[in-house]
Short mmCIF file of all heavy atoms in Angstrom, two decimals:
data_model
loop_
_atom_site.label_atom_id
_atom_site.label_comp_id
_atom_site.label_asym_id
_atom_site.label_seq_id
_atom_site.Cartn_x
_atom_site.Cartn_y
_atom_site.Cartn_z
N MET A 1 13.60 10.88 9.71
CA MET A 1 12.43 10.97 10.55
C MET A 1 12.03 9.56 10.98
O MET A 1 11.94 8.66 10.16
CB MET A 1 11.30 11.65 9.76
CG MET A 1 10.04 11.79 10.52
SD MET A 1 8.74 12.65 9.62
CE MET A 1 8.54 11.59 8.20
N GLU A 2 11.79 9.41 12.25
CA GLU A 2 11.41 8.11 12.79
C GLU A 2 9.90 8.05 12.97
O GLU A 2 9.30 8.94 13.59
CB GLU A 2 12.09 7.90 14.14
CG GLU A 2 11.82 6.57 14.75
CD GLU A 2 12.53 6.39 16.09
OE1 GLU A 2 13.42 7.19 16.41
OE2 GLU A 2 12.16 5.44 16.79
N VAL A 3 9.28 7.02 12.41
CA VAL A 3 7.85 6.83 12.61
C VAL A 3 7.66 5.66 13.57
O VAL A 3 8.31 4.63 13.43
CB VAL A 3 7.08 6.59 11.29
CG1 VAL A 3 7.07 7.84 10.45
CG2 VAL A 3 7.64 5.44 10.51
N LYS A 4 6.80 5.86 14.54
CA LYS A 4 6.55 4.84 15.55
C LYS A 4 5.14 4.29 15.40
O LYS A 4 4.20 5.04 15.14
CB LYS A 4 6.75 5.43 16.94
CG LYS A 4 8.16 5.88 17.19
CD LYS A 4 8.33 6.43 18.57
CE LYS A 4 9.77 6.88 18.76
NZ LYS A 4 10.00 7.41 20.09
N TRP A 5 5.03 3.01 15.56
CA TRP A 5 3.75 2.32 15.44
C TRP A 5 3.30 1.84 16.81
O TRP A 5 4.10 1.42 17.62
CB TRP A 5 3.88 1.11 14.52
CG TRP A 5 4.22 1.49 13.12
CD1 TRP A 5 5.47 1.56 12.56
CD2 TRP A 5 3.32 1.89 12.10
NE1 TRP A 5 5.39 1.96 11.26
CE2 TRP A 5 4.07 2.17 10.94
CE3 TRP A 5 1.94 2.03 12.05
CZ2 TRP A 5 3.48 2.59 9.76
CZ3 TRP A 5 1.36 2.44 10.87
CH2 TRP A 5 2.14 2.71 9.73
N VAL A 6 2.00 1.88 17.05
CA VAL A 6 1.41 1.31 18.25
C VAL A 6 1.07 -0.14 17.93
O VAL A 6 0.44 -0.42 16.90
CB VAL A 6 0.15 2.11 18.68
CG1 VAL A 6 -0.51 1.45 19.87
CG2 VAL A 6 0.51 3.56 18.97
N ASP A 7 1.52 -1.06 18.79
CA ASP A 7 1.27 -2.49 18.55
C ASP A 7 -0.20 -2.76 18.31
O ASP A 7 -1.06 -2.23 19.02
CB ASP A 7 1.74 -3.32 19.74
CG ASP A 7 3.26 -3.40 19.85
OD1 ASP A 7 3.94 -3.14 18.83
OD2 ASP A 7 3.75 -3.70 20.94
N GLY A 8 -0.47 -3.59 17.31
CA GLY A 8 -1.83 -3.99 17.00
C GLY A 8 -2.55 -3.06 16.02
O GLY A 8 -3.74 -3.21 15.80
N PHE A 9 -1.81 -2.12 15.41
CA PHE A 9 -2.44 -1.16 14.50
C PHE A 9 -3.05 -1.85 13.28
O PHE A 9 -2.52 -2.85 12.79
CB PHE A 9 -1.46 -0.08 14.05
CG PHE A 9 -0.45 -0.54 13.04
CD1 PHE A 9 -0.71 -0.43 11.69
CD2 PHE A 9 0.75 -1.10 13.45
CE1 PHE A 9 0.22 -0.85 10.75
CE2 PHE A 9 1.69 -1.52 12.51
CZ PHE A 9 1.43 -1.40 11.16
N GLU A 10 -4.16 -1.31 12.83
CA GLU A 10 -4.79 -1.71 11.56
C GLU A 10 -5.26 -0.44 10.88
O GLU A 10 -5.97 0.37 11.47
CB GLU A 10 -6.00 -2.62 11.80
CG GLU A 10 -5.64 -3.97 12.39
CD GLU A 10 -6.88 -4.82 12.66
OE1 GLU A 10 -7.95 -4.54 12.07
OE2 GLU A 10 -6.77 -5.76 13.44
N ILE A 11 -4.82 -0.27 9.63
CA ILE A 11 -5.18 0.91 8.85
C ILE A 11 -5.53 0.47 7.43
O ILE A 11 -4.80 -0.32 6.84
CB ILE A 11 -4.03 1.94 8.80
CG1 ILE A 11 -3.59 2.32 10.21
CG2 ILE A 11 -4.45 3.18 8.01
CD1 ILE A 11 -2.28 3.10 10.25
N ARG A 12 -6.61 1.00 6.92
CA ARG A 12 -7.03 0.71 5.54
C ARG A 12 -7.34 2.05 4.87
O ARG A 12 -7.95 2.93 5.48
CB ARG A 12 -8.26 -0.19 5.54
CG ARG A 12 -8.79 -0.52 4.16
CD ARG A 12 -10.02 -1.40 4.20
NE ARG A 12 -9.89 -2.55 5.08
CZ ARG A 12 -9.26 -3.69 4.79
NH1 ARG A 12 -8.71 -3.84 3.61
NH2 ARG A 12 -9.20 -4.68 5.66
N VAL A 13 -6.94 2.17 3.61
CA VAL A 13 -7.26 3.36 2.81
C VAL A 13 -8.01 2.90 1.58
O VAL A 13 -7.55 2.02 0.86
CB VAL A 13 -5.97 4.12 2.40
CG1 VAL A 13 -6.32 5.30 1.51
CG2 VAL A 13 -5.19 4.59 3.63
N THR A 14 -9.18 3.51 1.37
CA THR A 14 -9.97 3.21 0.17
C THR A 14 -10.32 4.53 -0.50
O THR A 14 -10.26 5.59 0.11
CB THR A 14 -11.26 2.45 0.53
OG1 THR A 14 -12.01 3.20 1.47
CG2 THR A 14 -10.95 1.07 1.10
N VAL A 15 -10.67 4.44 -1.77
CA VAL A 15 -11.14 5.61 -2.51
C VAL A 15 -12.58 5.33 -2.90
O VAL A 15 -12.88 4.33 -3.54
CB VAL A 15 -10.26 5.87 -3.75
CG1 VAL A 15 -10.80 7.05 -4.53
CG2 VAL A 15 -8.81 6.11 -3.33
N ASP A 16 -13.47 6.23 -2.47
CA ASP A 16 -14.90 6.06 -2.69
C ASP A 16 -15.46 7.34 -3.30
O ASP A 16 -15.38 8.40 -2.67
CB ASP A 16 -15.59 5.74 -1.37
CG ASP A 16 -17.08 5.46 -1.53
OD1 ASP A 16 -17.49 5.04 -2.63
OD2 ASP A 16 -17.81 5.65 -0.56
N SER A 17 -15.96 7.26 -4.53
CA SER A 17 -16.52 8.43 -5.23
C SER A 17 -15.52 9.58 -5.28
O SER A 17 -15.88 10.74 -5.10
CB SER A 17 -17.82 8.88 -4.57
OG SER A 17 -18.76 7.85 -4.58
N GLY A 18 -14.26 9.23 -5.51
CA GLY A 18 -13.22 10.26 -5.65
C GLY A 18 -12.64 10.77 -4.36
O GLY A 18 -11.74 11.59 -4.36
N GLY A 19 -13.13 10.28 -3.21
CA GLY A 19 -12.60 10.73 -1.92
C GLY A 19 -11.86 9.61 -1.23
O GLY A 19 -12.22 8.44 -1.35
N ALA A 20 -10.80 9.96 -0.52
CA ALA A 20 -10.04 8.98 0.24
C ALA A 20 -10.69 8.76 1.59
O ALA A 20 -11.11 9.70 2.25
CB ALA A 20 -8.60 9.44 0.42
N VAL A 21 -10.80 7.50 2.00
CA VAL A 21 -11.35 7.14 3.30
C VAL A 21 -10.27 6.38 4.05
O VAL A 21 -9.75 5.37 3.58
CB VAL A 21 -12.61 6.25 3.16
CG1 VAL A 21 -13.13 5.83 4.52
CG2 VAL A 21 -13.68 6.96 2.35
N ILE A 22 -9.90 6.89 5.22
CA ILE A 22 -8.93 6.23 6.08
C ILE A 22 -9.71 5.60 7.23
O ILE A 22 -10.38 6.29 7.98
CB ILE A 22 -7.89 7.23 6.62
CG1 ILE A 22 -7.14 7.88 5.46
CG2 ILE A 22 -6.93 6.53 7.59
CD1 ILE A 22 -6.26 9.04 5.87
N SER A 23 -9.61 4.28 7.34
CA SER A 23 -10.29 3.53 8.40
C SER A 23 -9.23 2.89 9.27
O SER A 23 -8.29 2.28 8.75
CB SER A 23 -11.19 2.44 7.81
OG SER A 23 -12.09 2.98 6.88
N ALA A 24 -9.35 3.02 10.58
CA ALA A 24 -8.33 2.48 11.47
C ALA A 24 -8.91 2.14 12.82
O ALA A 24 -9.89 2.74 13.27
CB ALA A 24 -7.21 3.51 11.65
N ASN A 25 -8.29 1.16 13.47
CA ASN A 25 -8.66 0.87 14.85
C ASN A 25 -7.96 1.89 15.76
O ASN A 25 -7.25 2.78 15.29
CB ASN A 25 -8.30 -0.58 15.23
CG ASN A 25 -6.82 -0.88 15.19
OD1 ASN A 25 -6.00 -0.04 14.87
ND2 ASN A 25 -6.47 -2.11 15.52
N ARG A 26 -8.18 1.78 17.06
CA ARG A 26 -7.62 2.74 18.01
C ARG A 26 -6.10 2.85 17.86
O ARG A 26 -5.54 3.94 17.81
CB ARG A 26 -7.99 2.34 19.44
CG ARG A 26 -7.45 3.31 20.49
CD ARG A 26 -7.84 2.87 21.91
NE ARG A 26 -7.49 3.89 22.87
CZ ARG A 26 -6.28 4.05 23.39
NH1 ARG A 26 -5.30 3.23 23.02
NH2 ARG A 26 -6.03 5.01 24.27
N GLU A 27 -5.44 1.70 17.79
CA GLU A 27 -3.98 1.68 17.67
C GLU A 27 -3.52 2.30 16.35
O GLU A 27 -2.49 2.97 16.30
CB GLU A 27 -3.46 0.24 17.80
CG GLU A 27 -3.67 -0.37 19.15
CD GLU A 27 -5.08 -0.93 19.40
OE1 GLU A 27 -5.93 -0.88 18.49
OE2 GLU A 27 -5.32 -1.41 20.50
N GLY A 28 -4.30 2.09 15.31
CA GLY A 28 -3.98 2.70 14.02
C GLY A 28 -4.11 4.21 14.06
O GLY A 28 -3.27 4.94 13.54
N LEU A 29 -5.16 4.70 14.71
CA LEU A 29 -5.35 6.15 14.83
C LEU A 29 -4.25 6.78 15.67
O LEU A 29 -3.73 7.85 15.34
CB LEU A 29 -6.72 6.46 15.42
CG LEU A 29 -7.91 6.12 14.52
CD1 LEU A 29 -9.21 6.27 15.30
CD2 LEU A 29 -7.92 6.98 13.27
N LEU A 30 -3.87 6.11 16.75
CA LEU A 30 -2.76 6.63 17.57
C LEU A 30 -1.46 6.64 16.79
O LEU A 30 -0.66 7.58 16.90
CB LEU A 30 -2.62 5.79 18.85
CG LEU A 30 -3.75 5.95 19.86
CD1 LEU A 30 -3.63 4.90 20.97
CD2 LEU A 30 -3.77 7.35 20.44
N SER A 31 -1.23 5.62 15.99
CA SER A 31 -0.03 5.57 15.14
C SER A 31 -0.03 6.73 14.15
O SER A 31 0.98 7.43 13.99
CB SER A 31 0.05 4.24 14.38
OG SER A 31 0.21 3.16 15.26
N LEU A 32 -1.17 6.95 13.48
CA LEU A 32 -1.27 8.06 12.53
C LEU A 32 -1.03 9.39 13.22
O LEU A 32 -0.37 10.28 12.67
CB LEU A 32 -2.62 8.04 11.83
CG LEU A 32 -2.85 6.90 10.83
CD1 LEU A 32 -4.30 6.90 10.36
CD2 LEU A 32 -1.89 7.00 9.66
N ALA A 33 -1.55 9.56 14.44
CA ALA A 33 -1.34 10.80 15.19
C ALA A 33 0.15 11.02 15.46
O ALA A 33 0.66 12.14 15.32
CB ALA A 33 -2.12 10.77 16.50
N LYS A 34 0.86 9.97 15.82
CA LYS A 34 2.31 10.08 16.05
C LYS A 34 3.03 10.45 14.75
O LYS A 34 3.94 11.26 14.76
CB LYS A 34 2.86 8.74 16.57
CG LYS A 34 2.46 8.42 17.99
CD LYS A 34 2.96 7.03 18.37
CE LYS A 34 2.52 6.65 19.74
NZ LYS A 34 3.45 7.05 20.78
N HIS A 35 2.60 9.86 13.64
CA HIS A 35 3.24 10.15 12.35
C HIS A 35 3.00 11.60 11.94
O HIS A 35 3.92 12.28 11.46
CB HIS A 35 2.71 9.21 11.28
CG HIS A 35 2.96 7.77 11.59
ND1 HIS A 35 2.45 6.76 10.81
CD2 HIS A 35 3.64 7.15 12.59
CE1 HIS A 35 2.82 5.59 11.31
NE2 HIS A 35 3.54 5.81 12.39
N LEU A 36 1.77 12.08 12.11
CA LEU A 36 1.46 13.46 11.75
C LEU A 36 2.25 14.43 12.63
O LEU A 36 2.72 15.47 12.15
CB LEU A 36 -0.04 13.72 11.85
CG LEU A 36 -0.89 12.98 10.82
CD1 LEU A 36 -2.37 13.20 11.11
CD2 LEU A 36 -0.54 13.38 9.40
N THR A 37 2.41 14.11 13.90
CA THR A 37 3.21 14.95 14.79
C THR A 37 4.67 14.97 14.34
O THR A 37 5.31 16.03 14.31
CB THR A 37 3.11 14.46 16.25
OG1 THR A 37 1.73 14.53 16.64
CG2 THR A 37 3.96 15.29 17.18
N ALA A 38 5.20 13.81 13.95
CA ALA A 38 6.58 13.76 13.46
C ALA A 38 6.73 14.59 12.19
O ALA A 38 7.74 15.30 12.03
CB ALA A 38 6.99 12.30 13.21
N LEU A 39 5.75 14.52 11.30
CA LEU A 39 5.80 15.33 10.08
C LEU A 39 5.74 16.82 10.41
O LEU A 39 6.46 17.63 9.83
CB LEU A 39 4.66 14.98 9.14
CG LEU A 39 4.85 13.76 8.25
CD1 LEU A 39 3.57 13.46 7.47
CD2 LEU A 39 6.01 13.95 7.30
N ALA A 40 4.88 17.19 11.36
CA ALA A 40 4.76 18.59 11.75
C ALA A 40 6.07 19.12 12.32
O ALA A 40 6.42 20.29 12.12
CB ALA A 40 3.63 18.76 12.76
N ASP A 41 6.81 18.27 13.00
CA ASP A 41 8.09 18.66 13.59
C ASP A 41 9.25 18.53 12.61
O ASP A 41 10.38 18.92 12.92
CB ASP A 41 8.39 17.81 14.83
CG ASP A 41 7.46 18.12 15.98
OD1 ASP A 41 6.86 19.22 15.97
OD2 ASP A 41 7.32 17.27 16.88
N GLY A 42 8.98 17.96 11.43
CA GLY A 42 10.03 17.73 10.43
C GLY A 42 10.27 18.93 9.55
O GLY A 42 9.98 20.08 9.92
N GLN A 43 10.78 18.64 8.38
CA GLN A 43 11.15 19.66 7.41
C GLN A 43 10.23 19.59 6.18
O GLN A 43 9.71 18.51 5.86
CB GLN A 43 12.59 19.44 6.93
CG GLN A 43 13.62 19.47 8.05
CD GLN A 43 13.70 20.84 8.69
OE1 GLN A 43 13.66 21.86 8.01
NE2 GLN A 43 13.78 20.88 10.01
N PRO A 44 10.05 20.70 5.47
CA PRO A 44 9.31 20.64 4.21
C PRO A 44 9.91 19.57 3.30
O PRO A 44 11.13 19.43 3.21
CB PRO A 44 9.49 22.04 3.63
CG PRO A 44 9.68 22.91 4.83
CD PRO A 44 10.48 22.06 5.79
N GLY A 45 9.05 18.81 2.68
CA GLY A 45 9.49 17.71 1.82
C GLY A 45 9.49 16.37 2.52
O GLY A 45 9.49 15.33 1.87
N ASP A 46 9.52 16.37 3.86
CA ASP A 46 9.39 15.11 4.58
C ASP A 46 8.05 14.48 4.23
O ASP A 46 7.05 15.18 4.05
CB ASP A 46 9.46 15.32 6.09
CG ASP A 46 10.87 15.60 6.60
OD1 ASP A 46 11.84 15.44 5.83
OD2 ASP A 46 10.98 15.98 7.79
N HIS A 47 8.02 13.17 4.13
CA HIS A 47 6.77 12.50 3.80
C HIS A 47 6.78 11.08 4.36
O HIS A 47 7.83 10.55 4.70
CB HIS A 47 6.55 12.47 2.28
CG HIS A 47 7.53 11.60 1.57
ND1 HIS A 47 8.81 12.03 1.26
CD2 HIS A 47 7.42 10.33 1.11
CE1 HIS A 47 9.45 11.06 0.64
NE2 HIS A 47 8.63 10.02 0.54
N ILE A 48 5.59 10.53 4.45
CA ILE A 48 5.42 9.13 4.83
C ILE A 48 4.58 8.48 3.74
O ILE A 48 3.54 9.00 3.35
CB ILE A 48 4.73 8.98 6.19
CG1 ILE A 48 5.53 9.71 7.27
CG2 ILE A 48 4.57 7.51 6.55
CD1 ILE A 48 4.83 9.77 8.62
N HIS A 49 5.06 7.35 3.27
CA HIS A 49 4.38 6.60 2.21
C HIS A 49 3.78 5.34 2.84
O HIS A 49 4.50 4.51 3.38
CB HIS A 49 5.41 6.22 1.13
CG HIS A 49 4.80 5.55 -0.04
ND1 HIS A 49 5.53 5.17 -1.13
CD2 HIS A 49 3.54 5.17 -0.32
CE1 HIS A 49 4.75 4.60 -2.02
NE2 HIS A 49 3.54 4.58 -1.54
N TYR A 50 2.48 5.25 2.78
CA TYR A 50 1.78 4.08 3.30
C TYR A 50 1.29 3.24 2.12
O TYR A 50 0.75 3.77 1.16
CB TYR A 50 0.54 4.51 4.10
CG TYR A 50 0.83 5.42 5.27
CD1 TYR A 50 0.75 6.80 5.13
CD2 TYR A 50 1.14 4.90 6.52
CE1 TYR A 50 0.99 7.64 6.21
CE2 TYR A 50 1.39 5.73 7.60
CZ TYR A 50 1.31 7.10 7.44
OH TYR A 50 1.54 7.93 8.51
N ASP A 51 1.49 1.93 2.20
CA ASP A 51 0.92 1.02 1.20
C ASP A 51 0.70 -0.34 1.84
O ASP A 51 1.13 -0.58 2.97
CB ASP A 51 1.79 0.94 -0.06
CG ASP A 51 3.17 0.38 0.16
OD1 ASP A 51 3.33 -0.53 1.00
OD2 ASP A 51 4.11 0.84 -0.51
N GLU A 52 0.05 -1.22 1.11
CA GLU A 52 -0.31 -2.52 1.69
C GLU A 52 0.92 -3.42 1.91
O GLU A 52 0.83 -4.39 2.65
CB GLU A 52 -1.35 -3.23 0.84
CG GLU A 52 -0.88 -3.67 -0.53
CD GLU A 52 -1.96 -4.39 -1.30
OE1 GLU A 52 -2.31 -5.53 -0.94
OE2 GLU A 52 -2.46 -3.81 -2.28
N HIS A 53 2.05 -3.09 1.32
CA HIS A 53 3.24 -3.91 1.49
C HIS A 53 4.03 -3.53 2.74
O HIS A 53 4.85 -4.30 3.21
CB HIS A 53 4.15 -3.79 0.26
CG HIS A 53 3.45 -4.19 -1.00
ND1 HIS A 53 3.08 -5.49 -1.28
CD2 HIS A 53 3.03 -3.46 -2.06
CE1 HIS A 53 2.46 -5.54 -2.44
NE2 HIS A 53 2.42 -4.32 -2.94
N THR A 54 3.79 -2.33 3.26
CA THR A 54 4.57 -1.88 4.42
C THR A 54 3.74 -1.61 5.66
O THR A 54 4.24 -1.76 6.77
CB THR A 54 5.34 -0.58 4.08
OG1 THR A 54 4.41 0.42 3.69
CG2 THR A 54 6.36 -0.81 2.98
N SER A 55 2.48 -1.19 5.51
CA SER A 55 1.76 -0.80 6.72
C SER A 55 0.24 -0.90 6.64
O SER A 55 -0.41 -0.95 7.68
CB SER A 55 2.13 0.63 7.10
OG SER A 55 1.95 1.50 6.01
N LEU A 56 -0.33 -0.90 5.46
CA LEU A 56 -1.79 -0.89 5.34
C LEU A 56 -2.34 -2.29 5.15
O LEU A 56 -1.63 -3.22 4.76
CB LEU A 56 -2.21 -0.02 4.15
CG LEU A 56 -1.80 1.45 4.19
CD1 LEU A 56 -2.28 2.17 2.94
CD2 LEU A 56 -2.32 2.14 5.45
N GLU A 57 -3.63 -2.43 5.43
CA GLU A 57 -4.30 -3.70 5.22
C GLU A 57 -4.33 -4.05 3.73
O GLU A 57 -4.21 -3.16 2.88
CB GLU A 57 -5.73 -3.64 5.76
CG GLU A 57 -5.82 -3.39 7.26
CD GLU A 57 -5.17 -4.50 8.07
OE1 GLU A 57 -5.58 -5.67 7.92
OE2 GLU A 57 -4.26 -4.19 8.86
N ALA A 58 -4.49 -5.32 3.43
CA ALA A 58 -4.54 -5.79 2.04
C ALA A 58 -5.64 -5.06 1.27
O ALA A 58 -6.67 -4.70 1.84
CB ALA A 58 -4.79 -7.29 2.01
N ASP A 59 -5.39 -4.82 0.01
CA ASP A 59 -6.32 -4.15 -0.90
C ASP A 59 -6.52 -2.67 -0.59
O ASP A 59 -7.49 -2.07 -1.04
CB ASP A 59 -7.69 -4.86 -0.95
CG ASP A 59 -7.57 -6.29 -1.46
OD1 ASP A 59 -6.73 -6.52 -2.35
OD2 ASP A 59 -8.29 -7.15 -0.97
N SER A 60 -5.62 -2.09 0.19
CA SER A 60 -5.70 -0.64 0.46
C SER A 60 -5.09 0.14 -0.69
O SER A 60 -4.19 -0.34 -1.37
CB SER A 60 -4.93 -0.30 1.74
OG SER A 60 -5.61 -0.74 2.88
N ALA A 61 -5.58 1.34 -0.87
CA ALA A 61 -4.97 2.28 -1.81
C ALA A 61 -3.72 2.86 -1.15
O ALA A 61 -3.64 2.93 0.08
CB ALA A 61 -5.95 3.39 -2.16
N GLU A 62 -2.76 3.27 -1.95
CA GLU A 62 -1.57 3.91 -1.41
C GLU A 62 -1.92 5.30 -0.90
O GLU A 62 -2.84 5.95 -1.40
CB GLU A 62 -0.49 4.04 -2.48
CG GLU A 62 0.10 2.72 -2.90
CD GLU A 62 1.21 2.89 -3.90
OE1 GLU A 62 1.93 3.91 -3.88
OE2 GLU A 62 1.38 1.98 -4.73
N LEU A 63 -1.19 5.75 0.12
CA LEU A 63 -1.39 7.07 0.68
C LEU A 63 -0.03 7.68 0.98
O LEU A 63 0.82 7.03 1.58
CB LEU A 63 -2.21 6.98 1.97
CG LEU A 63 -2.42 8.27 2.75
CD1 LEU A 63 -3.30 9.24 1.96
CD2 LEU A 63 -3.03 7.98 4.11
N ILE A 64 0.17 8.90 0.52
CA ILE A 64 1.39 9.64 0.83
C ILE A 64 0.98 10.91 1.54
O ILE A 64 0.12 11.65 1.05
CB ILE A 64 2.20 9.97 -0.43
CG1 ILE A 64 2.62 8.68 -1.15
CG2 ILE A 64 3.42 10.82 -0.09
CD1 ILE A 64 3.21 8.90 -2.52
N VAL A 65 1.57 11.15 2.71
CA VAL A 65 1.32 12.37 3.46
C VAL A 65 2.65 13.14 3.48
O VAL A 65 3.68 12.58 3.87
CB VAL A 65 0.85 12.08 4.90
CG1 VAL A 65 0.57 13.37 5.64
CG2 VAL A 65 -0.38 11.19 4.89
N GLU A 66 2.61 14.40 3.05
CA GLU A 66 3.84 15.19 2.88
C GLU A 66 3.71 16.55 3.57
O GLU A 66 2.64 17.18 3.53
CB GLU A 66 4.08 15.41 1.39
CG GLU A 66 5.30 16.25 1.09
CD GLU A 66 5.51 16.44 -0.40
OE1 GLU A 66 4.52 16.38 -1.17
OE2 GLU A 66 6.65 16.66 -0.80
N ARG A 67 4.79 16.96 4.21
CA ARG A 67 4.84 18.31 4.76
C ARG A 67 5.28 19.27 3.66
O ARG A 67 6.27 19.03 2.98
CB ARG A 67 5.82 18.39 5.92
CG ARG A 67 5.87 19.82 6.43
CD ARG A 67 6.60 20.00 7.68
NE ARG A 67 6.70 21.45 7.90
CZ ARG A 67 7.40 21.97 8.84
NH1 ARG A 67 8.04 21.22 9.69
NH2 ARG A 67 7.46 23.29 8.96
N ILE A 68 4.54 20.36 3.47
CA ILE A 68 4.88 21.29 2.38
C ILE A 68 5.51 22.57 2.85
O ILE A 68 6.21 23.22 2.10
CB ILE A 68 3.64 21.61 1.51
CG1 ILE A 68 2.53 22.25 2.32
CG2 ILE A 68 3.17 20.37 0.79
CD1 ILE A 68 1.39 22.79 1.48
N ARG A 69 5.27 23.03 4.06
CA ARG A 69 5.90 24.26 4.57
C ARG A 69 6.26 24.11 6.01
O ARG A 69 5.72 23.41 6.74
CB ARG A 69 4.96 25.46 4.46
CG ARG A 69 4.74 25.83 3.03
CD ARG A 69 3.89 27.03 2.92
NE ARG A 69 2.88 26.65 1.94
CZ ARG A 69 1.79 27.32 1.71
NH1 ARG A 69 1.50 28.38 2.37
NH2 ARG A 69 0.95 26.92 0.80
#
């Protein structure tokens, strides 16, 4: 599965009172929309792993989005 990024994306994931908060600029939201569409068109078990070493802003919590059916 190919994930495409929109130039200039910024995405941060934090956990606040047990809930995940995804904060992103316009380019980040468009990138996430493309990724979710790719997952929807993929196969069960496909997933995208986001972390501060590959795509998220520093000090972000890790986020895994997985297609289940």
Side-chain angles (χ1 to χ4, degrees):
M1 179 178 60
E2 183 179 347
V3 292
K4 296 181 181 181
W5 296 94
V6 176
D7 288 340
F9 75 91
E10 294 178 19
I11 305 168
R12 179 180 313 279
V13 177
T14 56
V15 178
D16 184 25
S17 301
V21 178
I22 300 170
S23 305
N25 63 359
R26 181 180 188 278
E27 294 81 2
L29 292 171
L30 291 170
S31 295
L32 290 172
K34 289 175 183 270
H35 301 174
L36 292 174
T37 299
L39 278 174
D41 291 340
Q43 301 295 319
D46 285 350
H47 68 279
I48 302 173
H49 184 178
Y50 302 94
D51 63 36
E52 68 179 290
H53 302 291
T54 59
S55 53
L56 300 179
E57 297 298 303
D59 299 324
S60 288
E62 292 183 30
L63 175 67
I64 300 170
V65 181
E66 178 180 26
R67 178 171 172 187
I68 60 171
R69 292 183 229 167

